[in-house]
């Protein structure tokens, strides 16, 4: 039996890489460079990529064991319990919305402001969010061949800019293996994780491919390509411009593009940034709105999010809510300009989820030892244990380098915990109370019928 | 464990209720899909074919489905009789649906419109 619509490895790679490519990635790349001496940012980026390989291996095993669009919601539920799974899933979605929308809005408005200074920054965000909301409500997805073209176009552009820059300055590595202090390296790698945020969001496609291993292969290839592309681009940026100039800009990629190719570079980079932001907003809105719909169906979020468009079969109430949340988050971020904090927050959250993923692999090997695993990580518990340890250290590094990140994360965690322990039971109780007296439709079989069937 | 006949009966009830619902037929008139329903614990496979908004049922699995719904026989019978929503078994891993996420939401929504909460 073969599904009619089967995704190819090329599209799986494009989807995985496409989900991580965002305009705010350039901010993270510059932050990584800022933590290290000289032109050694590539070390932290490659190390971050290698660590993400560990997490990808864990996701691959979990995805093979439980192939589902529900992702970590199901993995953590089976590995730990419903409360942990709910708390982490809601927290993750919350931080991802706030972190990615906030940082992305700031970067893209700065990019567009350079190209069209007469138009206010916030107007761009409203326009883009409106466009993405419209696309989402109509069920328009950037998938298949479009996803391939956009992602591979973005990656090629990033690599091309990096190489041109290195060629122009006749680049030579100076002290390539002297990145500075250990704490600087750890912090750089921790922020570097942001560059790969979302590569695992390709796992819901598990239900659209014929071979589960394609998902793991696709994630690994995407991570490899991204690591090289980001490393080249970041080294190119720091080779052409002083780090101080880059760190203090909300659109370092445009400053860099201008330095490399003049106005043509600005135009090109503006197009690249626009494509990256639109795909990020679109993919984020699709994932989070589907999560909200599914959560409302299991009475975890208010029933209003169950509303589906009769015409387009999309969860319009969740999509419209996300539009307004996006407007508020973007407005606050543009006003405060604290986008770097959001990048750190998202990097820390991602590290926490990856650390828990390692634990989930260990837990499920004990709980479901006999269940078939199309992808089994070799080396026993080594990789999942390493994943947990490494990402716990990286999350701790982000928290210690900026205590505000720890405070915001703790507050968000407490809110989610209280919500799961008070509002969720209330919503479930309300649903039970409002439900008509249970009337089983399925006929009850008599003992004689049951015996007859098995004689 | 439910029997093959019970799953067949549940699917008949589901398709009858679907075909009686004019609103659903209009909404799905452009959504031509082949859905295979497969039990994991008994030998039971069915194919539901949606064409021009109308659904038909036959025993056996189609070779080329758009969606494949896989679960144990009890869960399948309960879902198609509308005694439980698909969300709970889906989220705890008992129910697997192979196919696109959008088709999955539509299938869930159809079940919501037929059976309510």
């Amino acid at each position: 039996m073969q599904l009619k619509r089967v995704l190819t490895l090329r599209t799986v790679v494009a989807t995985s890489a496409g989900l991580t490519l965002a305009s705010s990635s350039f901010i993270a790349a510059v932050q990584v460079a800022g933590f290290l001496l000289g032109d050694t940012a590539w070390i932290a980026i490659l190390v971050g990529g290698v660590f993400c390989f560990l997490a990808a291996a864990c996701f691959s095993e979990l995805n093979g064991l439980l192939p589902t669009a529900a992702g970590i919601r199901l993995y953590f539920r089976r590995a730990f319990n419903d409360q942990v799974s709910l708390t982490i899933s809601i927290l993750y979605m919350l931080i991802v919305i706030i972190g990615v929308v906030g940082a992305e809005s700031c970067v893209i408005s700065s990019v567009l402001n350079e190209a069209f200074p007469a138009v206010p920054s916030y107007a761009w965000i409203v326009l883009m969010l409106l466009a993405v909301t419209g696309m989402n409500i109509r069920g328009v997805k950037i998938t298949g061949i479009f996803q391939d073209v956009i992602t591979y176009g973005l990656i090629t552009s990033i690599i091309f800019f990096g190489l041109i820059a290195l060629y122009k300055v006749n680049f030579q590595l100076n002290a390539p293996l002297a990145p500075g202090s250990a704490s600087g390296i750890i912090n750089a790698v921790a922020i570097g994780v942001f560059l790969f945020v979302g590569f695992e969001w390709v796992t819901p496609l598990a239900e659209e491919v014929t071979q589960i291993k394609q998902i793991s292969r696709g994630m690994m290839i995407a991570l490899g390509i991204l690591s090289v592309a980001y490393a080249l681009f970041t080294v190119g940026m720091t080779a052409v411009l002083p780090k101080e100039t880059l760190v203090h800009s909300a659109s370092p990629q445009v400053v860099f593009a201008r330095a490399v190719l003049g106005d043509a570079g600005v135009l090109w980079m503006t197009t690249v940034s626009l494509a990256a932001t639109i795909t990020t907003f679109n993919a984020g809105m699709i994932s989070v709105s589907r999560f909200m719909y599914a959560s409302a169906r299991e009475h975890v979020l208010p029933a209003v999010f169950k509303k589906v468009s009769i015409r387009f079969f999309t969860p319009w109430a969740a999509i419209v809510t996300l539009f307004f949340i996006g407007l508020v988050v973007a407005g606050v971020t543009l006003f405060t300009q604290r986008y770097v904090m959001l990048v750190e927050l998202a990097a820390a959250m991602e590290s926490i989820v990856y650390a828990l993923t390692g634990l989930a692999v260990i837990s499920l090997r004990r709980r479901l030892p006999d269940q078939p695993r199309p992808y089994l990580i070799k080396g026993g518990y080594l990789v999942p244990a390493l994943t947990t340890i490494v990402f716990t250290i990286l999350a701790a590094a982000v928290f210690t380098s900026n205590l505000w990140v720890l405070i915001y994360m703790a507050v968000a965690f407490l809110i989610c915990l209280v919500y799961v322990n008070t509002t969720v039971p209330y919503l479930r109780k309300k649903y039970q109370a409002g439900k008509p007296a249970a009337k089983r439709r399925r006929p009850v079989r008599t003992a004689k019928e049951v015996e007859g069937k098995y004689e | 464990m439910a029997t093959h006949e019970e799953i067949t009966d549940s699917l008949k009830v589901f398709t009858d209720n679907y075909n009686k619902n004019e609103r659903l037929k209009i909404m799905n008139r452009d959504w031509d899909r082949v859905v295979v329903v497969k039990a994991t614990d008994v030998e039971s496979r069915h194919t539901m074919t949606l064409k021009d908004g109308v659904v038909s049922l036959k025993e056996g699995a189609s070779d080329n489905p758009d969606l494949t719904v896989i679960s144990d026989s009890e869960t399948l019978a309960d879902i198609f009789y509308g005694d439980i929503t698909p969300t709970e078994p889906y989220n705890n891993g008992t129910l697997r649906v192979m196919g696109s996420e959008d088709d999955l939401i539509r299938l869930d929504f159809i079940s919501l419109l037929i059976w309510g909460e």
Side-chain angles (χ1 to χ4, degrees), chain A residues 317-340:
Chain A
I319 294 169
V320 171
T321 306
L322 285 174
F323 167 73
F324 286 109
I325 292 175
L327 283 185
V328 173
V329 170
V332 172
T333 318
L334 280 176
F335 180 71
T336 58
Q337 288 292 310
R338 301 189 79 176
Y339 54 90
V340 175

Side-chain angles (χ1 to χ4, degrees), chain A residues 186-435:
Chain A
I186 294 173
N187 280 320
V189 174
I191 298 300
V193 169
F194 183 85
L195 294 172
F196 306 100
V197 162
F199 76 85
E200 78 284 5
W201 284 28
V202 73
T203 49
L205 294 185
E207 290 164 336
E208 297 182 51
V209 296
T210 41
Q211 291 175 318
I212 289 293
K213 281 189 178 175
Q214 265 191 355
I215 296 282
S216 38
R217 217 172 290 148
M219 280 195 289
M220 304 289 185
I221 295 172
L223 282 172
I225 294 173
L226 287 171
S227 303
V228 174
Y230 281 135
L232 270 173
F233 191 82
T234 311
V235 174
M237 278 201 291
T238 52
V240 169
L241 292 162
K243 283 182 197 167
E244 293 68 33
T245 309
L246 294 166
V247 168
H248 292 110
S249 169
S251 49
Q253 74 273 35
V254 176
V255 179
F256 168 58
R258 190 187 298 280
V260 175
L261 288 177
D263 286 344
V266 173
L267 185 67
W268 187 350
M269 194 50 81
T270 303
T271 313
V272 164
S273 301
L274 257 176
T277 300
I278 287 276
T279 50
T280 301
F281 277 172
N282 194 49
M285 203 175 249
I286 287 171
S287 303
V288 180
S289 63
R290 300 311 189 263
F291 170 79
M292 288 167 78
Y293 169 80
S295 302
R297 283 284 274 146
E298 59 167 332
H299 320 293
V300 163
L301 286 180
V304 66
F305 298 124
K306 268 186 288 196
K307 289 185 186 295
V308 174
S309 157
I310 298 288
R311 196 162 163 210
F312 303 113
F313 280 92
T314 46
W316 69 266
I319 294 169
V320 171
T321 306
L322 285 174
F323 167 73
F324 286 109
I325 292 175
L327 283 185
V328 173
V329 170
V332 172
T333 318
L334 280 176
F335 180 71
T336 58
Q337 288 292 310
R338 301 189 79 176
Y339 54 90
V340 175
M341 159 94 72
L342 295 178
V343 169
E344 292 172 340
L345 203 56
M349 185 69 236
E350 202 67 24
S351 292
I352 291 171
V353 167
Y354 293 167
L356 286 171
T357 304
L359 278 183
V361 170
I362 295 169
S363 164
L364 286 172
R365 280 191 191 173
R366 290 169 183 224
R367 289 182 185 215
L368 307 169
D370 302 323
Q371 195 142 325
R373 285 169 170 77
Y375 182 99
L376 181 69
I377 307 170
K378 288 177 185 153
Y381 289 122
L382 181 66
V383 171
L386 254 179
T387 307
T388 301
I389 294 165
V390 161
F391 284 102
T392 304
I393 293 171
L394 293 182
V398 178
F399 292 144
T400 48
S401 72
N402 186 346
L403 273 181
W404 280 109
V405 176
L406 177 62
I407 293 167
Y408 286 137
M409 183 70 83
V411 170
F413 176 74
L414 276 177
I415 291 171
C416 291
L417 196 64
V418 169
Y419 179 86
V420 168
N421 284 300
T422 57
T423 313
V424 172
Y426 166 77
L427 289 174
R428 285 181 170 160
K429 213 169 147 188
K430 196 177 151 195
Y431 161 71
Q432 289 298 339
K435 212 169 110 176

Side-chain angles (χ1 to χ4, degrees), chain A residues 1-5 67-69 74 77-78 207-208 290 293 297-298 306 310 313 441-443 445, chain B residues 1 6 23 63-66 74 78 81-83 90-92 97 99 105-106 108-109 112 117:
Chain A
M1 204 161 49
Q2 169 88 37
L3 284 176
K4 269 184 196 162
R5 183 169 168 257
T68 170
L74 176 58
R77 184 179 184 162
R78 294 293 279 269
E207 290 164 336
E208 297 182 51
R290 300 311 189 263
Y293 169 80
R297 283 284 274 146
E298 59 167 332
K306 268 186 288 196
I310 298 288
F313 280 92
R441 298 182 185 97
R442 186 175 154 195
R445 278 183 297 165
Chain B
M1 190 192 295
E6 278 183 290
R23 191 177 167 205
D63 287 337
N64 207 14
D66 297 287
E74 275 293 314
D78 281 343
Y81 266 117
D83 286 333
Y90 183 77
N91 279 344
N92 69 27
V97 185
I105 285 203
R106 189 179 288 231
D108 181 54
F109 189 54
L112 181 69
E117 284 289 339

